[in-house]
Short mmCIF file of all heavy atoms in Angstrom, two decimals:
data_model
loop_
_atom_site.label_atom_id
_atom_site.label_comp_id
_atom_site.label_asym_id
_atom_site.label_seq_id
_atom_site.Cartn_x
_atom_site.Cartn_y
_atom_site.Cartn_z
N VAL A 1089 -8.50 13.62 -4.51
CA VAL A 1089 -7.42 12.74 -4.03
C VAL A 1089 -7.97 11.36 -3.73
O VAL A 1089 -7.35 10.34 -4.07
CB VAL A 1089 -6.76 13.33 -2.77
CG1 VAL A 1089 -5.69 12.38 -2.23
CG2 VAL A 1089 -6.12 14.69 -3.08
N SER A 1090 -9.15 11.31 -3.11
CA SER A 1090 -9.76 10.02 -2.79
C SER A 1090 -10.03 9.21 -4.05
O SER A 1090 -9.81 7.99 -4.08
CB SER A 1090 -11.08 10.24 -2.02
OG SER A 1090 -10.84 10.83 -0.77
N GLU A 1091 -10.51 9.88 -5.10
CA GLU A 1091 -10.78 9.17 -6.36
C GLU A 1091 -9.48 8.73 -7.03
O GLU A 1091 -9.45 7.69 -7.70
CB GLU A 1091 -11.56 10.08 -7.30
CG GLU A 1091 -13.00 10.34 -6.87
CD GLU A 1091 -13.80 9.05 -6.74
OE1 GLU A 1091 -13.67 8.18 -7.62
OE2 GLU A 1091 -14.56 8.92 -5.76
N ALA A 1092 -8.41 9.49 -6.82
CA ALA A 1092 -7.12 9.13 -7.44
C ALA A 1092 -6.52 7.88 -6.80
O ALA A 1092 -5.89 7.07 -7.49
CB ALA A 1092 -6.13 10.30 -7.30
N ILE A 1093 -6.74 7.70 -5.50
CA ILE A 1093 -6.16 6.54 -4.82
C ILE A 1093 -7.12 5.36 -4.77
O ILE A 1093 -6.73 4.26 -4.37
CB ILE A 1093 -5.73 6.90 -3.38
CG1 ILE A 1093 -6.94 7.23 -2.50
CG2 ILE A 1093 -4.74 8.05 -3.38
CD1 ILE A 1093 -6.60 7.48 -1.04
N LYS A 1094 -8.35 5.55 -5.22
CA LYS A 1094 -9.36 4.48 -5.18
C LYS A 1094 -8.93 3.23 -5.96
O LYS A 1094 -9.13 2.11 -5.47
CB LYS A 1094 -10.69 5.00 -5.71
CG LYS A 1094 -11.84 4.04 -5.49
CD LYS A 1094 -13.17 4.68 -5.92
CE LYS A 1094 -14.33 3.73 -5.65
NZ LYS A 1094 -15.64 4.36 -6.03
N PRO A 1095 -8.33 3.37 -7.17
CA PRO A 1095 -7.89 2.16 -7.90
C PRO A 1095 -6.88 1.32 -7.12
O PRO A 1095 -6.85 0.10 -7.28
CB PRO A 1095 -7.28 2.74 -9.17
CG PRO A 1095 -7.95 4.06 -9.37
CD PRO A 1095 -8.16 4.58 -7.99
N ILE A 1096 -6.05 1.97 -6.30
CA ILE A 1096 -5.06 1.23 -5.50
C ILE A 1096 -5.78 0.38 -4.46
O ILE A 1096 -5.44 -0.79 -4.24
CB ILE A 1096 -4.08 2.20 -4.83
CG1 ILE A 1096 -3.24 2.92 -5.89
CG2 ILE A 1096 -3.17 1.46 -3.84
CD1 ILE A 1096 -2.29 3.95 -5.33
N PHE A 1097 -6.79 0.96 -3.80
CA PHE A 1097 -7.58 0.19 -2.83
C PHE A 1097 -8.31 -0.95 -3.52
O PHE A 1097 -8.45 -2.04 -2.95
CB PHE A 1097 -8.57 1.11 -2.11
CG PHE A 1097 -7.98 1.84 -0.94
CD1 PHE A 1097 -7.27 3.02 -1.13
CD2 PHE A 1097 -8.12 1.35 0.34
CE1 PHE A 1097 -6.72 3.70 -0.05
CE2 PHE A 1097 -7.57 2.02 1.43
CZ PHE A 1097 -6.86 3.19 1.23
N LYS A 1098 -8.75 -0.71 -4.75
CA LYS A 1098 -9.45 -1.76 -5.49
C LYS A 1098 -8.51 -2.93 -5.78
O LYS A 1098 -8.87 -4.10 -5.60
CB LYS A 1098 -10.00 -1.20 -6.80
CG LYS A 1098 -10.81 -2.20 -7.61
CD LYS A 1098 -11.38 -1.56 -8.87
CE LYS A 1098 -12.18 -2.58 -9.67
NZ LYS A 1098 -12.75 -1.98 -10.90
N ASP A 1099 -7.30 -2.61 -6.22
CA ASP A 1099 -6.32 -3.65 -6.53
C ASP A 1099 -5.91 -4.43 -5.28
O ASP A 1099 -5.78 -5.66 -5.31
CB ASP A 1099 -5.07 -3.03 -7.16
CG ASP A 1099 -5.33 -2.52 -8.57
OD1 ASP A 1099 -6.37 -2.89 -9.16
OD2 ASP A 1099 -4.51 -1.73 -9.08
N LEU A 1100 -5.67 -3.71 -4.19
CA LEU A 1100 -5.16 -4.33 -2.98
C LEU A 1100 -6.25 -4.89 -2.06
O LEU A 1100 -5.96 -5.29 -0.93
CB LEU A 1100 -4.28 -3.34 -2.21
CG LEU A 1100 -3.05 -2.85 -2.97
CD1 LEU A 1100 -2.20 -1.94 -2.09
CD2 LEU A 1100 -2.21 -4.02 -3.46
N SER A 1101 -7.48 -4.90 -2.54
CA SER A 1101 -8.56 -5.53 -1.78
C SER A 1101 -9.18 -6.68 -2.58
O SER A 1101 -10.26 -7.16 -2.25
CB SER A 1101 -9.65 -4.51 -1.43
OG SER A 1101 -10.25 -4.00 -2.61
N HIS A 1102 -8.45 -7.11 -3.63
CA HIS A 1102 -8.94 -8.22 -4.44
C HIS A 1102 -8.96 -9.49 -3.58
O HIS A 1102 -8.02 -9.78 -2.85
CB HIS A 1102 -8.04 -8.42 -5.66
CG HIS A 1102 -8.67 -9.23 -6.74
ND1 HIS A 1102 -8.80 -10.60 -6.65
CD2 HIS A 1102 -9.24 -8.87 -7.93
CE1 HIS A 1102 -9.40 -11.05 -7.74
NE2 HIS A 1102 -9.68 -10.03 -8.52
N LEU A 1103 -10.05 -10.25 -3.69
CA LEU A 1103 -10.21 -11.44 -2.85
C LEU A 1103 -9.09 -12.45 -3.06
O LEU A 1103 -8.65 -13.11 -2.11
CB LEU A 1103 -11.56 -12.10 -3.15
CG LEU A 1103 -12.80 -11.30 -2.71
CD1 LEU A 1103 -14.06 -12.05 -3.07
CD2 LEU A 1103 -12.75 -11.02 -1.21
N LYS A 1104 -8.61 -12.58 -4.29
CA LYS A 1104 -7.53 -13.53 -4.57
C LYS A 1104 -6.27 -13.17 -3.80
O LYS A 1104 -5.55 -14.04 -3.30
CB LYS A 1104 -7.24 -13.56 -6.07
CG LYS A 1104 -6.21 -14.60 -6.48
CD LYS A 1104 -6.02 -14.63 -7.99
CE LYS A 1104 -5.00 -15.68 -8.39
NZ LYS A 1104 -4.77 -15.70 -9.87
N LEU A 1105 -6.01 -11.88 -3.68
CA LEU A 1105 -4.85 -11.41 -2.92
C LEU A 1105 -5.06 -11.59 -1.42
O LEU A 1105 -4.19 -12.07 -0.71
CB LEU A 1105 -4.59 -9.93 -3.24
CG LEU A 1105 -3.54 -9.22 -2.38
CD1 LEU A 1105 -2.16 -9.81 -2.64
CD2 LEU A 1105 -3.53 -7.73 -2.67
N LEU A 1106 -6.26 -11.22 -0.95
CA LEU A 1106 -6.52 -11.26 0.48
C LEU A 1106 -6.58 -12.68 1.03
O LEU A 1106 -6.29 -12.89 2.22
CB LEU A 1106 -7.83 -10.53 0.79
CG LEU A 1106 -7.87 -9.04 0.45
CD1 LEU A 1106 -9.19 -8.43 0.87
CD2 LEU A 1106 -6.71 -8.30 1.10
N ARG A 1107 -6.94 -13.64 0.20
CA ARG A 1107 -6.97 -15.04 0.68
C ARG A 1107 -5.58 -15.49 1.13
O ARG A 1107 -5.46 -16.37 1.98
CB ARG A 1107 -7.49 -15.95 -0.43
CG ARG A 1107 -9.00 -15.84 -0.66
CD ARG A 1107 -9.52 -16.94 -1.55
NE ARG A 1107 -10.95 -16.74 -1.83
CZ ARG A 1107 -11.40 -16.17 -2.95
NH1 ARG A 1107 -10.55 -15.80 -3.89
NH2 ARG A 1107 -12.70 -16.02 -3.12
N ARG A 1108 -4.55 -14.90 0.56
CA ARG A 1108 -3.18 -15.24 0.95
C ARG A 1108 -2.83 -14.68 2.33
O ARG A 1108 -1.82 -15.07 2.92
CB ARG A 1108 -2.19 -14.71 -0.09
CG ARG A 1108 -2.36 -15.34 -1.46
CD ARG A 1108 -1.66 -14.56 -2.55
NE ARG A 1108 -0.25 -14.38 -2.28
CZ ARG A 1108 0.56 -13.62 -3.02
NH1 ARG A 1108 0.09 -12.96 -4.06
NH2 ARG A 1108 1.83 -13.52 -2.71
N CYS A 1109 -3.68 -13.78 2.83
CA CYS A 1109 -3.43 -13.17 4.15
C CYS A 1109 -4.21 -13.86 5.26
O CYS A 1109 -4.07 -13.49 6.43
CB CYS A 1109 -3.81 -11.69 4.12
SG CYS A 1109 -2.90 -10.72 2.90
N LEU A 1110 -5.06 -14.83 4.90
CA LEU A 1110 -5.82 -15.54 5.92
C LEU A 1110 -4.88 -16.27 6.87
O LEU A 1110 -3.89 -16.85 6.45
CB LEU A 1110 -6.78 -16.54 5.26
CG LEU A 1110 -7.96 -15.94 4.49
CD1 LEU A 1110 -8.74 -17.03 3.77
CD2 LEU A 1110 -8.89 -15.17 5.44
N GLY A 1111 -5.22 -16.25 8.13
CA GLY A 1111 -4.37 -16.89 9.13
C GLY A 1111 -3.33 -15.97 9.71
O GLY A 1111 -2.59 -16.35 10.62
N GLY A 1112 -3.25 -14.74 9.19
CA GLY A 1112 -2.30 -13.77 9.74
C GLY A 1112 -0.86 -14.03 9.38
O GLY A 1112 0.06 -13.53 10.03
#
Side-chain angles (χ1 to χ4, degrees):
V1089 177
S1090 295
E1091 289 302 317
I1093 67 175
K1094 190 175 182 178
I1096 295 177
F1097 276 83
K1098 183 178 180 180
D1099 290 345
L1100 298 184
S1101 63
H1102 198 284
L1103 292 179
K1104 185 177 180 181
L1105 171 66
L1106 297 183
R1107 286 191 184 98
R1108 296 164 57 187
C1109 301
L1110 290 174

